[in-house]
Amino acid sequence: MAEKRRLFGSFHVSNVEDLIGIEESVYSAPKLPKEIPETKVDKSVVREFGKEVKKKYFLLEDDFTFLNHGAFGSVMTPAMNATQAWQLFCERQPVRFIDRQLLSQIADVTRKLAAFINSNPKNVVLVDNVTTAVSSVFSSLELSSEDVVLHTAFIHGGIRSALRRTCCKTGAKSMEIPIHLPVVDEEEIVKTIETSLHETPAKLLIIDHISSVLAFIMPIQKIIDMCRLKGVQILIDGAHGLGSTALDMKALNPDYYTSNCHKWLCGPKGTAFLYVKDEHRQNTHSAVTSYGYGYGFNSEFSWVGTKDYSPFLGLSQTLDFWNIVEPEKIRLYIRDLLRKACNLLIKEWDTDLIAPLNMLAGMALIRLPNELFEGKEMIRYEDAEIIQNCLFNEYEIEVPIKAVNNQLYVRISVHIYNDLHDYEKLATSIMDICKSKTRAL
C-alpha cells in the first residue's frame, strides 16, 4: 500500500478511506449547502399510496398507464430536485465544490446506503450502474484458460456481453445452467445449480437476484452458502434487488453483489452500488483507473475522473424518503398489489404465472391468453413486439411483452404510484386485442 496522503490533488478533503472508516458513534456528517433542498414527506399522501403519490412524488405522465418500472425505474421528485440543485451548486464555483466538498459528500452518501443494506461502508462503493460494477469485477478477476464461469441461462444481456469479452481476453470458458420453466419452487432451482457446481469445477458463479427477463426471485442465500462450501466465488446481479427486497449484506455475505439505485429504490439515473467481501477488496479495482488507484478500495471508486457526480448526491434524498416512510411499508404495499394484480389477470385471461407468487417481489411474468397466438407453431420476438406496440399506441399502456418457451407473457411491474385500476385496464385491453380481427399475429 502506498504512503497515505490526501488524494486527488486536493489538500482540502480528507482521505476517503478515513471518512468511510470512521465509527458511526463519532462520525459527523458534512453540512448540506443551503441551496440543496431537504426531503419532506407528506404522510397523509403516502398513507395509502397510489395516484396521489404519483402526482406528488413522481414525474410520470398522467396519460400513460406505466407498468414497466422494471425497465429503468422512475426517479422520485425529491431526488431529482436535489440532483439538479447539486448541478447548479457545482457550476457556481466548480473548484470549491470538487476540491473541498464533493468527496466528503460522496463518503456520506456511501455510509447512508451501506446502513440501508446493513453493510460495513468499507465494503460498498458507488458506481454508475450494474454494468459498470460487473465490468470492474471481471477486469479484477485473474481468470485463465483453465477457469470456468457458470451462469444461468437468463442472465442480463449486458452481463452476458461483458462475460463474453472477458472470456475472449482470458481464455476462460463460460457454461450455461438451464433452468426449467415454468418454475415449480426454489428448491428445484437450488438442486439444478448444485448439480452444475458438482459436475463442473468453477471459479465463479453468476446469478440474478431477481431475473430481469423472468421476474422471479432466486434463492440467493442458499446458493451463496452452497458456493462457500464448494470454494466457488459468487457474483450476484441484484439490479432489481435494492428496494424490492430487504437487503442484508452482513447476513448474505456474498463475494460480490451489485444493484441499481435508479430502479426499485427510485434514485436518480446513474446510481448503483457494488458490495465486495473483505477478502476481495484489495484486489477489486475500478474499471476506470484514476488518482485513487493504490490508495484503497473506496478511494479508487470514489473518483473516476471529472464527470457529473450529482446523481450520487441526490441519492441521499431517495434514502431519506424510504427511511421516513419506512421500507417495509413500501415493500408490503408493492407485494400486496402485485398479488392482487396477478390474481386479477390470471382470472380474466384464464392463464398462469411463470413462477409461484411466493417467489415474486415487484414484478411478475403472466401468460397471455391463448387466443392471441392460437394456430401459430412458433412464437417469435416480433410477435411480442406487435402486442407491446399495440398496447403502447392504442391503449397508452407501457408494459413489456416477452416471448418465452414458445408462449407470450406480459411482465408487469408494481410500485407505490400504481393501483389496481392500472391492471384492470391492462386486463380489458388485452381481451379487446384478442377480439380484434385486425391484430397482426
Side-chain angles (χ1 to χ4, degrees):
M1 181 67 69
E3 180 185 354
K4 184 181 290 187
R5 62 176 176 82
R6 293 176 185 257
L7 303 179
F8 315 131
S10 169
F11 293 95
H12 307 291
V13 176
S14 296
N15 191 323
V16 172
E17 300 296 315
D18 294 338
L19 291 171
I20 292 291
I22 297 172
E23 291 294 326
E24 191 63 32
S25 59
V26 296
Y27 173 73
S28 180
K31 291 182 179 180
L32 281 179
K34 64 180 187 302
E35 293 87 350
I36 308 304
E38 295 183 1
T39 305
K40 297 180 180 179
V41 177
D42 184 345
K43 291 197 173 183
S44 66
V45 173
V46 299
R47 188 174 296 121
E48 301 297 332
F49 297 119
K51 292 295 183 287
E52 288 303 312
V53 166
K54 181 179 179 181
K55 290 178 183 178
K56 191 172 182 68
Y57 292 104
F58 291 88
L59 300 167
L60 293 165
E61 297 175 359
D62 288 333
D63 294 341
F64 256 81
T65 301
F66 194 71
L67 307 180
N68 197 7
H69 191 95
F72 305 107
S74 179
V75 66
M76 287 182 176
T77 309
M80 177 61 82
N81 292 340
T83 299
Q84 293 175 335
W86 277 113
Q87 288 175 324
L88 293 173
F89 181 77
C90 168
E91 297 307 328
R92 290 193 180 105
Q93 224 285 31
V95 176
R96 177 186 62 194
F97 172 69
I98 295 173
D99 200 41
R100 299 173 183 265
Q101 297 169 310
L102 173 61
L103 294 176
S104 60
Q105 294 289 346
I106 286 179
D108 187 62
V109 175
T110 302
R111 293 176 69 100
K112 289 178 72 171
L113 179 60
F116 192 80
I117 61 174
N118 192 31
S119 170
N120 186 322
K122 291 183 178 180
N123 299 96
V124 176
V125 289
L126 299 177
V127 291
D128 290 347
N129 45 55
V130 163
T131 305
T132 301
V134 170
S135 293
S136 296
V137 173
F138 283 169
S139 64
S140 300
L141 287 170
E142 296 181 354
L143 296 173
S144 71
S145 59
E146 297 179 357
D147 293 320
V148 175
V149 178
L150 286 172
H151 62 87
T152 54
F154 44 81
I155 60 170
H156 189 271
I159 308 304
R160 188 184 296 274
S161 295
L163 177 60
R164 186 169 66 247
R165 181 173 183 266
T166 299
C167 289
C168 286
K169 289 179 64 178
T170 64
K173 302 173 183 64
S174 67
M175 295 186 63
E176 195 170 272
I177 303 173
I179 302 294
H180 174 75
L181 298 174
V183 175
V184 176
D185 56 32
E186 64 177 34
E187 286 305 317
E188 179 185 46
I189 293 175
V190 171
K191 289 178 181 177
T192 300
I193 292 177
E194 184 176 29
T195 299
S196 294
L197 289 172
H198 177 73
E199 294 176 347
T200 307
K203 181 166 185 175
L204 178 72
L205 171 66
I206 305 170
I207 61 167
D208 297 314
H209 188 168
I210 300 173
S211 168
S212 177
V213 176
L214 303 175
F216 61 81
I217 305 171
M218 293 282 281
I220 60 170
Q221 184 68 78
K222 293 180 179 178
I223 298 171
I224 291 169
D225 294 343
M226 186 165 44
C227 285
R228 188 179 301 119
L229 288 173
K230 293 183 177 295
V232 177
Q233 294 184 41
I234 185 167
L235 165 60
I236 299 175
D237 172 4
H240 295 274
L242 180 62
S244 64
T245 64
L247 290 180
D248 185 337
M249 288 299 132
K250 290 180 180 177
L252 286 172
N253 195 27
D255 293 284
Y256 310 95
Y257 186 104
T258 177
S259 186
N260 288 314
C261 303
H262 70 262
K263 290 203 176 188
W264 299 93
L265 197 69
C266 302
K269 302 291 186 291
T271 56
F273 77 85
L274 170 63
Y275 167 93
V276 176
K277 198 174 181 178
D278 280 337
E279 62 197 70
H280 306 307
R281 287 173 63 242
Q282 184 176 351
N283 296 317
T284 301
H285 304 287
S286 170
V288 177
T289 303
S290 191
Y291 284 104
Y293 179 75
Y295 291 93
F297 175 65
N298 300 98
S299 291
E300 187 169 340
F301 281 85
S302 293
W303 178 264
V304 291
T306 304
K307 67 165 200 160
D308 183 6
Y309 289 88
S310 60
F312 289 164
L313 307 187
L315 181 59
S316 182
Q317 275 71 6
T318 306
L319 293 166
D320 288 343
F321 181 95
W322 277 76
N323 288 326
I324 292 169
V325 177
E326 298 175 12
E328 191 50 38
K329 181 180 178 181
I330 293 174
R331 283 190 283 265
L332 182 61
Y333 178 84
I334 291 173
R335 289 195 301 267
D336 184 58
L337 181 55
L338 182 71
R339 176 183 58 81
K340 291 176 180 176
C342 287
N343 288 335
L344 166 73
L345 297 173
I346 289 168
K347 181 179 179 182
E348 290 294 319
W349 299 340
D350 190 25
T351 60
D352 48 34
L353 295 164
I354 206 163
L357 268 172
N358 64 359
M359 293 182 67
L360 306 179
M363 301 187 293
L365 221 62
I366 304 159
R367 186 165 56 86
L368 292 176
N370 291 333
E371 295 95 308
L372 281 174
F373 48 89
E374 61 185 354
K376 289 186 69 71
E377 293 184 3
M378 182 64 66
I379 301 297
R380 305 162 299 157
Y381 167 84
E382 291 78 9
D383 299 323
E385 190 176 34
I386 290 170
I387 302 299
Q388 184 168 330
N389 287 341
C390 182
L391 288 168
F392 179 90
N393 293 315
E394 298 183 28
Y395 299 91
E396 296 186 321
I397 298 175
E398 185 69 75
V399 70
I401 307 298
K402 307 286 185 180
V404 180
N405 271 14
N406 206 33
Q407 295 186 338
L408 290 176
Y409 287 83
V410 61
R411 191 194 73 181
I412 62 168
S413 294
V414 172
H415 217 289
I416 57 174
Y417 54 76
N418 293 117
D419 61 29
L420 196 59
H421 295 297
D422 294 332
Y423 307 94
E424 290 171 347
K425 179 181 177 181
L426 174 62
T428 56
S429 299
I430 287 293
M431 293 311 294
D432 188 46
I433 294 173
C434 286
K435 295 173 185 176
S436 172
K437 295 181 180 179
T438 60
R439 68 180 188 271
L441 283 181

